[in-house]
Amino acid sequence: MAGRIPQNFIDDLLNRTDIADVIEERISLKRTGRNYSGLCPFHKEKSPSFSVNPEKQFYYCFGCGAGGNAIGFVMEHDRIDFPQAVDALARRAGIEIPQDNSVDHAQSQKLKHSYQLLEQTASFYQQQLKQHPEREKAVNYLKNRGLSGQIALSFQIGYAPPGWDNLISHLQQLPELKDISKNQDLDDAGLVILKEENDRCYDRFRDRIIFPIVDMRGRVIAFGGRVLTDEKPKYLNSPETDTFHKNRELYGLYQARQANRNLDRVLIVEGYMDVVALAQFGINNAVATLGTATSEHHLTRLYKLVNEIVFCFDGDNAGRKAANRALETTLPLMEDGRQARFLFLPEGEDPDSLVRQEGTEQFNQRIKNAKPLSDFFFDNLSESLDLESGEGRARLSALAMPMLEQIPGKVFQQLMKQQLSEITGVSSDFFQQIAPPPATSAPSYPDNHYSDDDHWHQDNRHQSSRQQPSSPQPRQNSYRPQQALRPSSLGSRALRWLLHHPKLALKVDFETTEALSALMDPELSLLRALVEQLRPNPALPTALILMEWQDDPNYSILCQLTEQELLIADDESMEAEFIACLHQLMRKTEEAKLDYLKRKKSPPLTDDEKRLLNKLLLQNQRPRP
């Protein structure tokens, strides 16, 4: 399919599709009241936790958190990408997919050409491993590392022969690539090094073992090459291209998903050979980052697929430093139900050498015995502290608390605080009381916007920026909080009303949304974003609302809120309940402003702040309705 699929067609397709029928064609469902239930196809379970809501055209699993609409289900279950899922549902409905002519077709064609070049390049390297006169040194290297021909084929391992233009000459001779194998095309795909001064180029990979990097669809998107000598660099990766973004991709993830229908754990290792060697020994759930530290993008992607991640590091100082970085990246993503563990190998060993030395069973035992995140967290922070002294325990508390506040899972966060309490001898209630409110980025105001509240807004934005990095911006919504929501709270109640009855967004005026988002609370920032999403289209179906939040850390909570039934049925009572909830939230905002101004000592209150303080004190004395 060329071009982009128009959004109005996607909306119409979902309106024509009965999600229960689509899912029932793939798994067994039973009617349970208004909904259907069954065993989740995305994780192992003995009792049904998978629910399908035909009224909202939405599915959700209370066990693993999977959820979405019919398109999302087909993508995950059939392991296909978005256009393929839309195509499958369109063919099922007997309708044609129109194309959006506003799309830049030149860019689309460029991507298509890159994929063709990359696929042909991978085939070329594989052929060279079988046929090139100098292939023996590459074959011997792989054999000495214990790899079989079958595993090499599974990972499409190849060989880039010595010479400056072997690949270039091959690609330019292929009839099917005659229009797209120009120097610039090859450079755009990351296959050559282009000299801009004379438009000459040469092969990027020469005399190296080649490891193709594939995406979730199995398409070749880049390559990694390892030298056969002591030459530096030992490993060379493709550059960043339109098809390859190294801080998002994971080597071996496609193969891990193919080998494990119910993938429930992923082992993150450091190199290509570690992944391949472990697969050779039957450990088919290892992936590797591509020359970068494990990023938030990597972990977010993995936690959509599995509940448990095991980080595998060398036992030396470099391994410890890498583990510390991984810990810092993981904490803000630790929702309840997710697990992370840390495996440290003996010094001088890597997964490749160790699994060959001790075998599959013993290495698997190491994985099972890997240190839980909670233990590694406290062991790591305590390493240079004297916990026999009060000063040492106080120092541990000071180091730990800001990090624990980043944990979005409230149950896990509480358990971590209890563990801190046991180590320090300080009551866990004390740690709960001193916990600061969740810090998120406050909204920015236009230059011409000014009110008595502005100094309060500006100071709180300044404080928030010191406490926590800026939140990543969403693709379509104006704000996306980093911290996960509390499933039962005032903010969550308001969100639940909106998700069930989107037309209530029209009852929230702009002054209210600005005031709510001024409070440093991720739920209220999300509430504002949801209101802004729904105002232009208050009739948007729930499944389409949630589509815009699929990559958000709060997606699972939003799904749960959607699944919770509301007891009030008539419109008048429903509207009154929602407005009452907003009033309570506004009161909470005013109380926070008042508390801030009353406590502010330095610098002294400005005249504007004094006026605002008096105004809030008067409001606070009035009887509440």
Side-chain angles (χ1 to χ4, degrees):
M1 293 178 289
R4 180 180 299 163
I5 304 170
Q7 184 60 46
N8 62 351
F9 174 81
I10 295 170
D11 297 348
D12 181 56
L13 177 62
L14 287 172
N15 286 332
R16 294 186 186 208
T17 301
D18 188 326
I19 190 171
D21 290 343
V22 170
I23 294 177
E24 203 162 24
E25 290 168 3
R26 291 162 172 83
I27 67 171
S28 177
L29 294 176
K30 290 184 178 179
R31 187 87 188 190
T32 52
R34 295 182 179 179
N35 297 346
Y36 294 88
S37 66
L39 295 176
C40 179
F42 306 121
H43 80 287
K44 296 177 182 177
E45 62 176 8
K46 294 182 179 179
S47 57
S49 60
F50 183 84
S51 175
V52 181
N53 188 321
E55 180 184 345
K56 299 183 177 68
Q57 289 295 298
F58 176 78
Y59 76 92
Y60 182 71
C61 176
F62 292 92
C64 68
N69 57 27
I71 296 174
F73 179 84
V74 172
M75 287 172 64
E76 287 298 314
H77 185 275
D78 297 0
R79 296 184 180 185
I80 57 179
D81 63 10
F82 182 82
Q84 290 173 311
V86 171
D87 184 53
L89 291 177
R91 281 188 283 106
R92 182 181 179 276
I95 54 179
E96 288 279 332
I97 301 178
Q99 301 300 327
D100 187 344
N101 295 325
S102 66
V103 173
D104 184 351
H105 291 290
Q107 179 64 19
S108 177
Q109 283 298 106
K110 180 182 172 184
L111 271 176
K112 181 182 177 182
H113 294 164
S114 290
Y115 285 123
Q116 288 178 285
L117 286 168
L118 291 161
E119 195 64 42
Q120 290 291 344
T121 298
S123 297
F124 170 74
Y125 289 144
Q126 285 181 282
Q127 285 299 115
Q128 298 308 294
L129 185 62
K130 297 175 183 177
Q131 299 174 354
H132 196 273
E134 297 189 39
R135 60 182 285 274
E136 285 302 321
K137 58 183 178 181
V139 171
N140 290 336
Y141 172 84
L142 294 173
K143 285 182 177 178
N144 290 337
R145 299 297 291 265
L147 300 188
S148 67
Q150 183 178 356
I151 204 72
L153 182 63
S154 174
F155 283 86
Q156 304 179 54
I157 295 174
Y159 173 55
W164 296 97
D165 62 354
N166 292 293
L167 176 65
I168 296 171
S169 299
H170 172 75
L171 294 176
Q172 290 178 342
Q173 290 172 10
L174 294 177
E176 62 268 34
L177 298 181
K178 63 180 181 179
D179 296 328
I180 58 172
S181 53
K182 303 177 182 65
N183 290 352
Q184 188 59 56
D185 297 324
L186 299 174
D187 183 52
D188 289 342
L191 300 174
V192 300
I193 294 175
L194 181 64
K195 297 291 187 182
E196 294 184 2
E197 59 271 16
N198 55 15
D199 196 33
R200 301 283 298 273
C201 64
Y202 56 90
D203 293 351
R204 180 176 295 276
F205 298 100
R206 303 176 306 280
D207 200 18
R208 290 176 181 262
I209 299 287
I210 296 296
F211 300 87
I213 301 164
V214 299
D215 63 11
M216 294 287 277
R217 291 174 57 183
R219 297 178 301 184
V220 178
I221 57 174
F223 298 94
R226 192 199 190 283
V227 294
L228 295 165
T229 63
D230 294 330
E231 182 186 345
K232 302 293 181 181
K234 183 165 72 171
Y235 280 99
L236 178 67
N237 289 331
S238 293
E240 294 267 326
T241 65
D242 290 338
T243 64
F244 177 54
H245 305 283
K246 62 184 177 182
N247 69 332
R248 295 176 181 269
E249 300 296 337
L250 289 157
Y251 180 75
L253 182 56
Y254 172 77
Q255 288 85 353
R257 294 196 75 192
Q258 292 299 305
N260 301 274
R261 177 65 184 173
N262 296 307
L263 188 65
D264 54 7
R265 174 196 293 155
V266 163
L267 178 69
I268 300 181
V269 296
E270 292 189 24
Y272 302 112
M273 280 303 300
D274 295 325
V275 173
V276 179
L278 289 171
Q280 173 75 56
F281 281 81
I283 301 173
N284 295 301
N285 61 341
V287 301
T289 56
L290 299 161
T292 67
T294 306
S295 71
E296 181 185 341
H297 293 298
H298 291 138
L299 296 180
T300 300
R301 187 175 196 178
L302 288 177
Y303 273 129
K304 285 184 177 181
L305 302 174
V306 299
N307 292 323
E308 181 182 358
I309 294 174
V310 180
F311 297 95
C312 183
F313 298 103
D314 296 343
D316 56 14
N317 287 334
R320 289 279 167 176
K321 289 180 180 177
N324 290 342
R325 291 195 297 270
L327 174 67
E328 292 172 2
T329 306
T330 307
L331 279 175
L333 300 173
M334 288 301 293
E335 297 177 6
D336 292 333
R338 291 178 175 178
Q339 298 181 67
R341 292 192 286 140
F342 293 78
L343 170 60
F344 294 97
L345 304 182
E347 194 160 350
E349 301 285 357
D350 56 29
D352 174 19
S353 64
L354 197 58
V355 74
R356 285 189 282 140
Q357 176 183 316
E358 62 184 24
T360 303
E361 187 176 345
Q362 197 167 337
F363 196 91
N364 271 327
Q365 194 59 45
R366 286 182 181 274
I367 295 174
K368 291 176 184 176
N369 295 337
K371 186 174 289 190
L373 179 146
S374 54
D375 291 348
F376 175 63
F377 176 84
F378 289 111
D379 289 350
N380 188 52
L381 288 186
S382 306
E383 192 170 13
S384 59
L385 301 178
D386 176 16
L387 297 184
E388 297 299 318
S389 69
E391 292 87 345
R393 294 194 295 273
R395 177 62 178 158
L396 175 62
S397 301
L399 292 172
M401 280 303 292
M403 299 178 74
L404 296 184
E405 289 302 322
Q406 297 178 44
I407 298 174
K410 293 306 175 184
V411 173
F412 182 58
Q413 185 188 90
Q414 181 61 29
L415 291 172
M416 291 286 279
K417 289 180 180 178
Q418 287 177 5
Q419 196 165 340
L420 178 61
S421 170
E422 292 167 6
I423 296 171
T424 60
V426 178
S427 166
S428 60
D429 291 339
F430 172 77
F431 290 126
Q432 198 64 37
Q433 291 167 6
I434 66 171
T440 60
S441 300
S444 56
Y445 292 88
D447 292 339
N448 61 355
H449 178 94
Y450 185 84
S451 72
D452 290 341
D453 298 15
D454 273 3
H455 288 289
W456 184 81
H457 292 322
Q458 291 160 5
D459 278 354
N460 273 273
R461 284 200 296 275
H462 180 60
Q463 288 180 359
S464 174
S465 66
R466 291 200 305 263
Q467 294 171 6
Q468 180 173 331
S470 298
S471 298
Q473 292 301 306
R475 191 164 29 200
Q476 297 182 21
N477 297 305
S478 61
Y479 180 83
R480 177 172 293 162
Q482 283 185 326
Q483 298 203 357
L485 303 180
R486 294 156 286 180
S488 58
S489 67
L490 198 59
S492 292
R493 280 173 54 197
L495 286 166
R496 186 163 62 246
W497 282 109
L498 270 181
L499 289 166
H500 279 267
H501 302 285
K503 65 182 180 180
L504 290 173
L506 301 176
K507 302 297 179 181
V508 187
D509 57 34
F510 290 95
E511 183 181 353
T512 300
T513 52
E514 287 292 322
L516 290 177
S517 59
L519 191 61
M520 301 293 104
D521 189 314
E523 291 176 340
L524 304 188
S525 297
L526 177 57
L527 180 60
R528 175 189 178 183
L530 197 59
V531 168
E532 290 174 346
Q533 176 191 355
L534 295 175
R535 270 197 189 118
N537 190 0
L540 199 64
T542 304
L544 293 180
I545 296 172
L546 291 168
M547 271 185 70
E548 296 193 18
W549 297 92
Q550 286 187 26
D551 294 327
D552 189 273
N554 295 303
Y555 177 66
S556 178
I557 292 290
L558 289 175
C559 291
Q560 290 183 45
L561 293 174
T562 305
E563 280 295 301
Q564 296 172 10
E565 293 295 331
L566 297 177
L567 300 179
I568 299 176
D570 64 281
D571 289 350
E572 188 175 340
S573 300
M574 172 185 67
E575 183 177 321
E577 177 75 14
F578 179 69
I579 291 173
C581 189
L582 287 182
H583 285 162
Q584 292 180 63
L585 288 171
M586 289 290 286
R587 189 182 313 163
K588 185 178 177 183
T589 305
E590 292 176 1
E591 288 170 355
K593 293 180 188 178
L594 180 61
D595 182 61
Y596 166 76
L597 293 172
K598 286 166 69 177
R599 287 187 293 104
K600 185 179 178 186
K601 303 294 183 187
S602 178
L605 293 177
T606 65
D607 290 342
D608 288 328
E609 287 174 329
K610 289 176 182 177
R611 285 196 296 271
L612 177 58
L613 176 59
N614 290 331
K615 173 184 172 184
L616 292 173
L617 286 170
L618 286 172
Q619 288 178 351
N620 202 44
Q621 292 171 1
R622 294 175 192 154
R624 296 287 183 181

